[in-house]
């Protein structure tokens, strides 16, 4: 069968599946079985998922776990996390418990401004463009009223529009650089709709602006789009305690642990190779909550990593210090999140996750997500600077290896007990399974 096809999106779901399995799979029956195994038996739920995107053939499951005991600004949370990596939820729970006994996490939203830009080309006199922008600015706002009035009635909307001259870097390139407050919405649709309206008004009004020459009247709009770089939509999360309260591991004194921890953070602050992995650990926590609450993890990832590079070199998002016998560990991170719109009213598990979190506002969710990131980072650095990461990681990974070998319930019981006191490695697990199976033959 040909591997190209016209009009695929117009085929029925079952015809799409037939084409896929017959074109790409040696055993089309097996492939079809796997695809159908993941269909939801509730037709309404399946239809909902079918309609999220184009060409849905099945559902892709991730586990939804929960990490309890998070004390954030004196309120307790159980945090939902959607993630496949074995040790992440366990690490979050451990960090939550650790800080629960030491006053919990303190958080604060620093700012909530989001940015969108109309990128355009104009090759005339800049002073005339400035005059035009100043005269048209009220109209940019008034002609977008039909889009902004609801948001404004709730206290949000367009905060400002600036004209920015970018011609030093690219000939003829200017922007309408707009800032927005989108309250509990992530705001992508709101911002993009406003920007497209600004662009339309801007272009139309230029045609009738008397000071412009005929050529200058032709403003070329290149595109109108929000920015996922949100350095002014920022949240801070922190933990702290007396150094001598950092007890929990006999192998290392609290002082030595605190010193090593701060050194590990200092290394991530100045060494990009380490910073990327360090921040990846933070994103383990952040992405999992962002996904569970139906937010756009690609937007969050892009914005966070850009922020980590804002000083010209990629660096750690978190920081730590010891001062007057007090250990502090904190992070400021940009997070554009929503708790209304998008998937929040559609996906039953997203609704469930938001209810579990006491129906947070976007600001509250920013704080919860930042805490999940900081907790994850704390857990990773604690392991890295004491036992090493593999001990805990492989313990959690044990079940995956056992499942790869299709271990029975009884085999799993025996081997998880055995590996409570023995180091887990892939080869050690394989040896143990083989020995067990030979014994029982
Ligand atoms: C693994 O998913 C994350 C870590 O590598 C993070 C880190 O090194 O800090 C453990």
């Amino acid at each position: 069968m040909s591997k190209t096809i016209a009009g695929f999106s117009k085929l029925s779901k079952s015809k799409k599946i037939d084409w896929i399995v017959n074109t790409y799979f040696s055993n089309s029956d097996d492939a079809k079985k796997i695809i159908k195994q993941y269909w939801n038996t509730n037709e309404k739920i399946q239809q909902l998922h079918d309609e999220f995107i184009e060409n849905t053939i099945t559902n892709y499951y991730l586990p939804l776990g929960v990490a309890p005991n998070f004390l954030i600004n004196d309120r307790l949370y159980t945090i939902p996390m959607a993630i496949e990596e074995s040790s992440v939820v366990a690490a979050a729970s451990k960090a939550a418990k650790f800080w629960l006994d030491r006053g919990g996490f303190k958080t604060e939203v620093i700012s909530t401004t989001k940015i969108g830009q109309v990128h355009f080309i104009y090759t005339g006199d800049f002073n005339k463009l400035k005059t035009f922008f100043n005269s048209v600015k009220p109209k940019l706002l008034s002609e977008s009223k039909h889009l902004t009035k609801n948001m404004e009635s709730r206290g949000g909307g367009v905060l400002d529009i600036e004209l920015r001259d970018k011609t030093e870097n690219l000939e003829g390139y200017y922007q309408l650089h707009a800032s927005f407050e989108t309250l509990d919405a992530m705001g992508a649709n709101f911002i993009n709709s406003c920007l497209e309206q600004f662009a339309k008004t801007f272009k139309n009004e230029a045609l009738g602006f008397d000071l412009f020459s005929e050529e200058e009247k032709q403003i070329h709009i290149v595109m109108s789009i929000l920015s996922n770089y949100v350095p002014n939509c920022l949240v801070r999360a922190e933990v702290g305690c007396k150094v001598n309260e950092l007890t929990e591991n006999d192998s290392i004194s609290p002082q030595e642990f605190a010193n090593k921890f701060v050194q590990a953070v200092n290394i991530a602050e100045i060494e990009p190779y380490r910073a990327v992995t360090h921040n990846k650990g933070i994103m383990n926590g952040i992405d999992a909550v962002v996904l569970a609450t139906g937010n756009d993890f690609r937007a969050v990832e892009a914005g966070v990593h850009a922020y980590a590079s804002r000083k010209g070199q990629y660096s750690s998002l978190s920081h730590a210090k010891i001062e007057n016998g007090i250990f502090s560990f904190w992070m400021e991170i940009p997070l554009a999140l929503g708790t209304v719109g998008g998937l929040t009213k559609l996906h039953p598990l997203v609704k469930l996750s938001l209810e579990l979190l006491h129906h947070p506002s976007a600001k509250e969710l920013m704080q919860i997500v930042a805490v999940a990131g900081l907790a994850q980072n704390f857990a990773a650095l604690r392991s890295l600077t004491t036992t090493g990461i593999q001990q805990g990681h492989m313990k959690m990974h044990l079940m995956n290896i056992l499942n790869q070998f299709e271990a029975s319930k009884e085999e799993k019981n025996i081997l998880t007990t055995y590996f409570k006191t023995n180091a887990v490695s892939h080869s050690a697990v394989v040896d143990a399974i083989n020995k067990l199976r030979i014994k029982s033959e």
Side-chain angles (χ1 to χ4, degrees):
M1 264 213 190
S2 162
K3 287 194 172 49
T4 60
I5 183 168
F8 182 75
S9 68
K10 297 198 176 60
L11 296 180
S12 68
K13 185 170 162 187
S14 87
K15 289 255 156 44
K16 282 176 190 158
I17 293 171
D18 285 344
W19 184 79
I20 296 275
V21 297
N22 293 328
T23 311
Y24 287 97
F25 293 85
S26 51
N27 188 333
S28 55
D29 287 343
D30 275 2
K32 199 183 258 189
K33 205 169 121 200
I34 293 172
I35 289 169
K36 290 192 170 180
Q37 238 167 20
Y38 284 87
W39 283 2
N40 201 296
T41 48
N42 178 326
E43 267 178 40
K44 257 176 99 180
I45 290 191
Q46 189 51 56
Q47 194 187 343
L48 186 72
H49 283 71
D50 286 353
E51 290 171 0
F52 280 146
I53 58 167
E54 189 168 84
N55 298 340
T56 307
I57 55 169
T58 189
N59 309 308
Y60 184 96
Y61 290 176
L62 280 181
L64 179 70
V66 294
N69 297 321
F70 271 98
L71 187 64
I72 306 175
N73 297 342
D74 301 322
R75 187 172 195 191
L76 270 170
Y77 291 86
T78 292
I79 299 189
M81 304 178 88
I83 189 158
E84 86 303 341
E85 191 173 324
S86 321
S87 51
V88 169
V89 176
S93 305
K94 227 173 144 189
K97 189 79 187 21
F98 183 93
W99 286 107
L100 176 68
D101 301 333
R102 292 162 179 81
F105 293 80
K106 300 284 176 249
T107 58
E108 177 197 358
V109 171
I110 297 168
S111 50
T112 55
T113 303
K114 290 161 190 164
I115 297 298
Q117 298 166 318
V118 177
H119 306 267
F120 67 94
I121 302 292
Y122 164 84
T123 44
D125 178 347
F126 178 54
N127 281 326
K128 285 197 216 168
L129 182 67
K130 257 198 330 210
T131 310
F132 168 62
F133 170 73
N134 289 331
S135 71
V136 83
K137 189 171 166 180
K139 200 154 194 176
L140 296 178
L141 296 170
S142 63
E143 289 200 351
S144 54
K145 267 282 176 276
H146 62 292
L147 299 165
T148 57
K149 64 175 186 299
N150 280 347
M151 188 66 89
E152 279 170 9
S153 71
R154 284 181 274 128
V158 184
L159 301 178
D160 195 15
I161 311 174
E162 288 169 42
L163 173 68
R164 290 202 172 174
D165 178 354
K166 306 296 276 186
T167 51
E168 230 176 70
N169 301 321
L170 186 64
E171 203 188 323
Y173 171 36
Y174 297 87
Q175 301 167 345
L176 298 181
H177 183 94
S179 47
F180 300 85
E181 169 56 61
T182 63
L183 305 169
D184 285 339
M186 190 268 193
N189 286 331
F190 171 74
I191 293 174
N192 289 337
S193 300
C194 290
L195 293 170
E196 288 185 5
Q197 180 61 54
F198 298 161
K200 208 162 138 191
T201 306
F202 199 65
K203 190 172 169 56
N204 283 345
E205 291 297 312
L207 295 173
F209 188 62
D210 289 343
L211 288 182
F212 279 157
S213 68
E214 281 314 303
E215 205 188 320
E216 286 168 336
K217 284 181 179 169
Q218 300 304 323
I219 284 179
H220 299 283
I221 304 291
V222 180
M223 57 191 161
S224 309
I225 187 75
L226 92 166
S227 172
N228 290 125
Y229 185 44
V230 284
N232 291 319
C233 187
L234 207 61
V235 56
R236 180 185 170 94
E238 64 182 294
V239 284
C241 67
K242 289 185 186 142
V243 169
N244 61 18
E245 287 168 3
L246 287 170
T247 47
E248 51 106 30
N249 188 329
D250 292 342
S251 70
I252 188 166
S253 73
Q255 185 64 55
E256 195 189 343
F257 170 63
N259 289 342
K260 274 188 90 175
F261 192 101
V262 172
Q263 278 164 350
V265 175
N266 290 343
I267 290 169
E269 284 168 341
I270 59 104
E271 166 53 54
Y273 278 95
R274 174 55 203 153
V276 171
T277 319
H278 178 98
N279 290 347
K280 188 272 182 188
I282 293 173
M283 299 315 287
N284 276 344
I286 293 202
D287 283 341
V289 191
V290 168
L291 260 177
T293 55
N295 275 280
D296 181 342
F297 66 92
R298 289 84 55 206
V300 167
E301 282 278 343
V304 165
H305 295 298
Y307 187 76
S309 318
R310 70 195 181 286
K311 293 183 181 149
Q313 176 174 297
Y314 191 90
S315 175
S316 169
L317 291 159
S318 62
H319 308 281
K321 67 176 182 196
I322 304 167
E323 230 170 57
N324 304 324
I326 305 287
F327 168 82
S328 323
F329 179 46
W330 73 97
M331 176 172 80
E332 281 174 14
I333 192 165
L335 289 171
L337 301 175
T339 53
V340 298
L343 279 192
T344 54
K345 283 228 158 32
L346 278 179
H347 198 302
L349 287 175
V350 169
K351 281 202 274 186
L352 184 114
S353 295
L354 289 171
E355 188 169 347
L356 177 64
L357 292 172
H358 320 291
H359 296 295
S361 64
K363 276 185 175 177
E364 283 159 350
L365 187 60
M366 285 166 78
Q367 298 172 70
I368 296 165
V369 170
V371 162
L374 193 72
Q376 210 62 44
N377 193 210
F378 179 78
L381 293 179
R382 184 161 61 141
S383 297
L384 286 167
T385 54
T386 56
T387 57
I389 203 75
Q390 282 308 83
Q391 195 188 81
H393 189 74
M394 290 309 286
K395 269 226 153 73
M396 293 308 301
H397 191 53
L398 172 62
M399 207 42 83
N400 290 342
I401 307 175
L402 293 177
N403 282 332
Q404 258 171 36
F405 285 88
E406 296 183 356
S408 67
K409 214 169 161 189
E410 197 192 340
E411 286 175 328
K412 281 182 183 167
N413 277 340
I414 297 171
L415 292 170
T416 44
T417 308
Y418 172 78
F419 280 109
K420 275 195 178 128
T421 48
N422 289 279
V424 183
S425 69
H426 191 86
S427 57
V429 179
V430 175
D431 280 354
I433 294 180
N434 287 339
K435 277 193 194 129
L436 192 65
R437 289 183 175 168
I438 288 166
K439 244 196 211 161
S440 58
E441 266 173 12

